[in-house]
Every structure is written in C-alpha cells, then in structure tokens.
Amino acid sequence: MKKLIEIDDTVLTKLKVLSAFEGLSVKALMEKAIELFVKSKEKEQLDSLTQEQKEDLGLLLLMQQADRTDTVSRENIFKLLE
C-alpha cells in the first residue's frame, strides 16, 4: 500500500542524515522506526495489564491455537469427571 505523507523539512533532513549513518533508505528507516514504536506500545500495554488480564489473554491465545476439529466423546468426558 502506498501512502503519501507530508514531512517537515527539518525532520526530513534529520531522516536523511540518520539513514546515511544506518545505511538504509529513508523509507526503510521510517519503517524500522514505526515498527519499534509499535512494539514499544504493545509492550507498554502488556505491562499495564493486571495478572488476571494477562491470564485471560494467555487463555485466549491458547484457545485460538486449539484444533477445533479434534473432538472427544461424551463418554470420555464423563469418565474423566469421575
């Protein structure tokens, strides 16, 4: 997806200098910066969760990984509950 954005000339100059130091294109440098920012915000959100919310999130992730086609018979469930 291609999007055009306006960047202040001062910021653009700084981006060009940083990209030269990093050996990256300005586009690649911006992508890397955005990726780091998003990861930082995700970590910040995760750190702010309570222990119960973290457990709920973990359970949700496990449930998403479960094989929904794998079934157990009713008899096996009742045997386990005895």
Side-chain angles (χ1 to χ4, degrees), residues 6-46:
E6 279 204 34
I7 298 175
D8 183 69
D9 288 336
T10 307
V11 173
L12 183 59
T13 303
K14 290 177 182 180
L15 279 171
K16 287 179 180 179
V17 170
L18 284 172
S19 69
F21 285 134
E22 293 291 320
L24 298 169
S25 68
V26 172
K27 178 183 180 251
L29 181 65
M30 288 176 67
E31 288 172 346
K32 185 177 178 182
I34 291 167
E35 183 180 327
L36 287 172
F37 179 78
V38 169
K39 282 183 182 178
S40 169
K41 286 297 178 182
E42 287 173 343
K43 184 178 179 339
E44 198 175 284
Q45 276 187 321
L46 190 60

Side-chain angles (χ1 to χ4, degrees), residues 25-70:
S25 68
V26 172
K27 178 183 180 251
L29 181 65
M30 288 176 67
E31 288 172 346
K32 185 177 178 182
I34 291 167
E35 183 180 327
L36 287 172
F37 179 78
V38 169
K39 282 183 182 178
S40 169
K41 286 297 178 182
E42 287 173 343
K43 184 178 179 339
E44 198 175 284
Q45 276 187 321
L46 190 60
D47 290 344
S48 70
L49 294 177
T50 66
Q51 186 62 33
E52 184 178 352
Q53 290 171 324
K54 288 178 183 177
E55 290 171 0
D56 290 345
L57 182 59
L59 181 59
L60 174 65
L61 293 173
L62 284 173
M63 289 171 62
Q64 288 176 341
Q65 294 175 2
D67 182 8
R68 293 185 177 113
T69 61
D70 189 17

